Amino acid sequence: MTRGRFITLEGGEGVGKSTNLKFIEVLLIEKGLQVMVTREPGGTALAEKLRQLLLASDVKKIDASTELLLMFAARADHIQQVIKPALAQEKWVLCDRFTDSTYAYQGGGRGLDTENIAWLEKFVQQQLQPDITFLLDAPIEIGMARAKKRGALDRFETEQHVFFNKVRVAFLKRANDFPKRIKIIDANQALSMVQENIQAHLDALI
């Protein structure tokens, strides 16, 4: 059975995911493809409510294991209600964050055992994996400066430098472990260069 393609964007705070998500959407539509844009945590009514809990800045402390389980609860609903049906309809699904973020934030940042994350990944996703992942990478100081210009920070964005350093290291390790799927894009270069690199990878996929 034919299906659509699953594309994810990953990276730390302020690396330009939203801007490049829109760029990819327009590019795919121009090529005559059906595109569905979604995000994590979120994408369904239930998952969006869980997102509010996870990102709320007034929630000062959530146990790391609780945070992990909430992420996968939102993901399970998202996959079953949105992602799989869209792929089955031959749509190209474009998602802002997916499981690589869980390995980076809850694994790297929170220090949770990646074996537990891997077990949940297999349980929730079965064989589902993105066809390609763009990892937008930039120095932490630059990304956070951009994030602060957007306005009020969410619960994750208020973490300390050491947390974001662990997140970045974990993302780069994922890219090293899965080089065929995860494409590192230097988000510190001019936007035109960022998008030129993204387009080259997309052209190869299409």
Side-chain angles (χ1 to χ4, degrees):
M1 186 178 78
T2 60
R3 70 171 182 84
R5 295 290 182 267
F6 185 22
I7 301 171
T8 57
L9 267 73
E10 298 284 7
E13 311 304 324
V15 294
K17 287 188 291 81
S18 297
T19 299
N20 289 293
L21 193 81
K22 185 63 180 178
F23 169 75
I24 296 172
E25 179 188 10
V26 171
L27 189 67
L28 295 176
I29 290 173
E30 287 177 347
K31 291 183 180 294
L33 298 167
Q34 294 186 71
V35 182
M36 189 196 70
V37 179
T38 188
R39 67 178 182 178
E40 287 213 346
T44 68
L46 173 60
E48 288 293 333
K49 289 182 179 180
L50 292 174
R51 178 188 179 88
Q52 292 176 12
L53 290 173
L54 285 160
L55 271 61
S57 57
D58 60 341
V59 179
K60 300 302 180 184
K61 181 66 175 177
I62 297 180
D63 177 75
S65 296
T66 302
E67 185 178 274
L68 174 66
L69 292 170
L70 287 172
M71 287 289 184
F72 270 106
R75 182 165 298 134
D77 195 57
H78 190 207
I79 289 171
Q80 296 302 323
Q81 301 296 331
V82 174
I83 296 176
K84 282 187 174 180
L87 292 173
Q89 294 168 12
E90 300 185 37
K91 294 179 180 178
W92 286 54
V93 178
L94 182 54
C95 190
D96 183 347
R97 297 198 184 282
F98 196 59
T99 309
D100 293 307
S101 275
T102 305
Y103 280 96
Y105 281 80
Q106 284 72 52
R110 304 292 187 215
L112 292 177
D113 191 336
T114 55
E115 289 187 4
N116 291 332
I117 299 175
W119 186 90
L120 287 167
E121 177 185 18
K122 183 177 181 180
F123 176 70
V124 169
Q125 296 172 217
Q126 301 299 313
Q127 303 301 316
L128 178 67
Q129 290 292 337
D131 292 283
I132 190 169
T133 297
F134 294 107
L135 172 58
L136 299 170
D137 179 62
I140 297 166
E141 295 80 4
I142 292 174
M144 287 310 301
R146 293 174 181 171
K148 288 176 181 177
K149 291 180 180 178
R150 298 194 301 240
L153 301 178
D154 64 34
R155 189 173 65 87
F156 285 98
E157 291 169 338
T158 59
E159 291 287 349
Q160 300 301 309
H161 186 281
V162 64
F163 174 85
F164 292 115
N165 185 61
K166 291 177 181 178
V167 168
R168 187 184 185 195
V169 168
F171 267 132
L172 293 173
K173 183 181 184 303
R174 291 286 291 172
N176 183 67
D177 291 343
F178 302 96
K180 291 184 178 180
R181 174 174 65 84
I182 303 178
K183 309 302 179 183
I184 301 175
I185 306 295
D186 180 2
N188 195 32
Q189 60 186 334
L191 180 60
S192 60
M193 292 298 296
V194 169
Q195 294 182 342
E196 184 178 315
N197 292 341
I198 289 174
Q199 183 167 357
H201 288 299
L202 282 176
D203 286 345
L205 181 65
I206 295 169

